[in-house]
Amino acid sequence: MVLIRILLAFALVLGLSACGGGKFRTYRGPEVTSIQVHKADRKMYLLHNSKVLKEYDISLGFQPVGHKQFEGDGKTPEGVYFISHHNPRSRYHLSVGVSYPNEADRAFASTMGKSPGGDIMIHGRSRYKGQNKGDWTAGCIAVRDREMEEIYSMLRRQTPILILP
């Protein structure tokens, strides 16, 4: 009887560990050497050199056409940036920072007497209650939470991200 209880307990522990894992994953594949975001197609690609490792459908800022210029304009930036940091406590499941604004973005906004904004991320959608369809962010790039777990594990600081119109 004791042996049966021990075996059942062991089976339960194995079963629960297989279901768990949480939101932090481990990635052991090829290095992501760059990211491309194609705003018009609502696609994001993680690349190793010229080979596409992963492709994602994305949502953008609620005013997706054009380059982000000012805080609150609802646009997603365009140009070359870098992954700046990982945020495990994001309001949107997990997130990785995009280095917007760069020096040129700050200078342009300054000439207009405005703030360029900031806090642009690639993130999940945890607290967003709608469908991950259409453009709903304040200028960020959004993917499904499970996809964000994968992206979070694959990206490293200073990975270049090219955001195209």
Side-chain angles (χ1 to χ4, degrees), residues 59-63 74-76 123 132 134-142:
S59 294
L60 300 169
F62 61 87
Q63 296 292 332
K75 295 181 179 182
T76 300
H123 63 66
N132 200 25
D135 298 313
W136 57 271
T137 77
C140 295
I141 300 161

Side-chain angles (χ1 to χ4, degrees), residues 3 12 29 36 55 79 84 107 117 128 131-132 145 148 154 157:
L3 182 61
L12 180 64
Q36 284 189 13
E55 173 184 328
S84 59
Y128 178 69
Q131 296 294 317
N132 200 25
D145 288 351
M148 190 61 225
M154 293 175 77
R157 290 187 70 211

Side-chain angles (χ1 to χ4, degrees), residues 61-114:
F62 61 87
Q63 296 292 332
V65 177
H67 173 58
K68 181 167 194 62
Q69 297 177 322
F70 311 115
E71 184 173 19
D73 65 8
K75 295 181 179 182
T76 300
E78 295 173 358
V80 178
Y81 297 94
F82 298 90
I83 297 303
S84 59
H85 65 283
H86 286 67
N87 180 4
R89 293 189 179 104
S90 174
R91 292 183 301 172
Y92 295 100
H93 193 57
L94 292 169
S95 62
V96 292
V98 175
S99 64
Y100 176 90
N102 61 27
E103 198 58 43
D105 297 320
R106 284 190 287 278
F108 177 78
S110 178
T111 64
M112 305 303 284
K114 296 185 176 188

Side-chain angles (χ1 to χ4, degrees), residues 20 25 47 76 92 125 150 161:
R25 297 186 188 186
L47 295 103
T76 300
Y92 295 100
R125 53 161 266 167
E150 182 175 64
I161 176 170

